Amino acid sequence: MPVQDRKDPLTYKGAGVDISAGNEAVRRIKRLVAGTRRPEQIGDIGGFAGLMGLPTGVGDPVLVACTDGVGTKLLVAIALDRHDTVGVDLVAMNVNDLLVTGASTLFVLDYIACDRVVPERIEALVSGIVDGCKQARCALLGGETAELPGLYARDHYDLAAFAVGVVDRSKMLGPTRVKSGDVVLGLRSSGLHSNGYSLARKALLDPAHAGLSFADRLPGDPAGRSVGEALLAPTRIYEPAFAALRGLEHAPLHGAAHITGGGLLENPARALADDLALELDLSSLDLPPVIAAVAAQGVGVRELLRTFNCGVGMLLYVDPAHVDVVRSALAAIGEEPYALGRVVPRPAADAPQVRLSGASWMGGAVEVE
């Protein structure tokens, strides 16, 4: 049947997908992405795929890859109509996972899915992704914006990213290098980061609990932030800390753990061999105000510890002979690590691998069951 022109033709835009808006969004973000270019990058964005060479000076390169999203923190951004920070979270959740292997990040690819393309909103989202890539010293090599009418609620969207890094095989971190006696240092978080938002929103916003609004002041916050500001605080990116340690003599960093979902109870053991355990003393650690406000709504200690980072976004497992050198290197970039504990032999195969104690808000020791 031949295609015929009609006075009221059916169009893609009429079905909910605006190609012109998509083109405008791409035009806006090209200038942002250019600021993340790395020397190894080949060509510019806009092709069918991004091209990246391996850096020189890596004797036995191992590629490291991961993927993650931002989760229901996006509902906070959507409710506040502020979209320029969650892109940092998107990069951080990927890059921080890469760092614990000893890798540095080469590039990130982003995926934005939405009910309709609003160029200004896409530009704001990508500006946050670019900010995160600059902090992580990696390229935003490409991405995809998908307009999916009918799949998402009006003005809702989702974010995902895929990151690739590289590490010299001889410098890989993890369970094969961490040993009994290693000292555990903690790097502070900026708050919730990007985990536990379903629980946090229920505790703080639900009328059956705190019943606060995004505009209300967060209880107990010395900075006087609103609930919305505290919930949107971007996830810290720990590339500067790891960069400060990569070139140290004696390779004193043996392993690391990114504290995400599962909190301080479940993540630390992921960097340990089965015959090792971890004893952490949290007496020097105060709960961030936003997590303390959530706890005040009746969230138990174990639930806090397995849901939130409780103030520690990254654990470092350090050779005890070189702790002072590591501390000095971190202090030089403005980090103030917590001395949290030590790696010890695991007394039995069925014994807990993580034991936490010391914090007054805990009310006693907590172990992984």
Side-chain angles (χ1 to χ4, degrees), residues 32-45 50-53 91 94-95 98 104-110 126 129-143 161-165 239:
L32 297 172
V33 175
T36 71
R37 186 178 182 88
R38 281 182 59 109
E40 303 87 356
Q41 190 169 339
I42 302 167
D44 297 314
I45 67 165
L51 302 173
M52 176 75 70
V91 175
N94 283 276
V95 167
L98 280 176
S104 56
T105 311
L106 290 174
F107 62 85
V108 165
L109 302 171
D110 70 85
V126 174
I129 297 171
V130 165
D131 183 7
C133 287
K134 288 179 177 179
Q135 292 183 46
R137 305 170 189 175
C138 68
L140 180 55
L141 193 59
F162 314 86
V164 174
E239 163 61 24

Side-chain angles (χ1 to χ4, degrees), residues 154-172:
R154 183 72 169 178
D155 291 326
H156 280 226
Y157 57 84
D158 197 11
L159 302 178
F162 314 86
V164 174
V166 63
V167 60
D168 194 314
R169 190 181 300 270
S170 66
K171 298 179 180 179
M172 290 171 59

Side-chain angles (χ1 to χ4, degrees), residues 290-322:
V290 66
I291 298 178
V294 170
Q297 297 305 309
V299 180
V301 171
R302 180 174 288 276
E303 193 68 13
L304 284 176
L305 289 167
R306 71 192 297 264
T307 304
F308 304 112
N309 61 59
C310 294
V312 181
M314 185 72 72
L315 294 181
L316 306 177
Y317 300 75
V318 178
D319 187 326
H322 303 291

Side-chain angles (χ1 to χ4, degrees), residues 133-219:
C133 287
K134 288 179 177 179
Q135 292 183 46
R137 305 170 189 175
C138 68
L140 180 55
L141 193 59
E144 171 72 2
T145 299
E147 195 169 21
L148 305 173
L151 186 58
Y152 290 92
R154 183 72 169 178
D155 291 326
H156 280 226
Y157 57 84
D158 197 11
L159 302 178
F162 314 86
V164 174
V166 63
V167 60
D168 194 314
R169 190 181 300 270
S170 66
K171 298 179 180 179
M172 290 171 59
L173 306 178
T176 59
R177 289 191 59 193
V178 176
K179 61 182 186 294
S180 179
D182 280 352
V183 172
V184 182
L185 302 178
L187 303 182
R188 65 176 178 83
S189 70
S190 58
L192 293 173
H193 282 186
S194 295
N195 294 104
Y197 271 77
S198 296
L199 176 56
R201 290 185 301 108
K202 187 172 186 65
L204 297 178
L205 305 174
D206 194 315
H209 299 284
L212 299 169
S213 73
F214 288 121
D216 287 335
R217 179 171 176 170
L218 180 71

Side-chain angles (χ1 to χ4, degrees), residues 221-262:
D221 185 9
R225 295 174 299 173
S226 69
V227 171
E229 289 171 333
L231 289 175
L232 273 187
T235 304
R236 290 195 69 203
I237 292 175
Y238 294 100
E239 163 61 24
F242 280 78
L245 303 181
R246 286 189 190 111
L248 294 180
E249 288 187 73
H250 309 296
L253 181 61
H254 292 166
H258 182 202
I259 309 305
T260 56

